[in-house]
Amino acid sequence: QVQLVESGGGLVQAGESLRLSCTASGRTYGMGWFRQAPGKEREFVAAISPSGGITYYADSVKGRFTISRDNAKNTVYLQMNSLKPEDTAVYYCAASRTIIVKNMRVSHEYDYWGQGTQVTVSS
């Protein structure tokens, strides 16, 4: 069983930046970030292919967030710039144990999940 450990969350003001990190205890393939705000369902944020060559973003974060990975460190990052109050949520890292993922925007395609890290953006 692979463990995912997230870090980097915190409280920032609107317009500022944060970088989230997620380190896996073993080999993973596709990786993604999802978030869940109070009273809302978990939603897709960004995903990255096993090689890092293909990335996907939700429309709400496109142009502001960047996902990247360092396979030597089994780590995926989410650089979040120009943060808005509506980005406030618990952010979850997810990873797949198979190289083929049909739809990286869908949560049930992932096998491993982190415990979540809180991101709060004040106005």
Side-chain angles (χ1 to χ4, degrees), residues 1 3 14 19 22 24 26 28-30 35-36 39 41 43 49 54 73 78 89 99 103 105 107 110 112:
Q1 183 79 359
Q3 307 293 324
R19 189 175 83 153
C22 171
T28 59
Y29 292 96
R35 66 187 181 186
Q36 187 166 18
E41 294 188 352
E43 65 174 4
S49 64
I54 301 174
K73 297 181 180 180
L78 185 67
I99 197 167
N103 187 343
R105 298 173 182 268
S107 60
Y110 294 88
Y112 309 112

Side-chain angles (χ1 to χ4, degrees), residues 1-113:
Q1 183 79 359
V2 173
Q3 307 293 324
L4 302 179
V5 179
E6 299 122 331
S7 62
L11 170 64
V12 296
Q13 293 188 332
E16 294 184 340
S17 300
L18 278 175
R19 189 175 83 153
L20 305 183
S21 300
C22 171
T23 299
S25 62
R27 176 68 182 271
T28 59
Y29 292 96
M31 299 189 78
W33 288 94
F34 291 75
R35 66 187 181 186
Q36 187 166 18
K40 295 187 176 181
E41 294 188 352
R42 189 172 299 188
E43 65 174 4
F44 168 76
V45 176
I48 189 166
S49 64
S51 67
I54 301 174
T55 56
Y56 307 87
Y57 295 96
D59 289 343
S60 59
V61 306
K62 200 173 294 183
R64 300 188 297 122
F65 291 11
T66 302
I67 189 170
S68 61
R69 66 189 298 164
D70 184 340
N71 286 339
K73 297 181 180 180
N74 288 338
T75 300
V76 64
Y77 305 97
L78 185 67
Q79 177 67 43
M80 305 185 294
N81 298 330
S82 302
L83 282 160
K84 304 175 181 180
E86 50 264 44
D87 294 317
T88 295
V90 177
Y91 283 70
Y92 296 92
C93 174
S96 170
R97 64 184 176 193
T98 58
I99 197 167
I100 301 297
V101 177
K102 293 173 65 175
N103 187 343
M104 296 191 72
R105 298 173 182 268
V106 177
S107 60
H108 68 246
E109 294 283 352
Y110 294 88
D111 303 292
Y112 309 112
W113 291 84

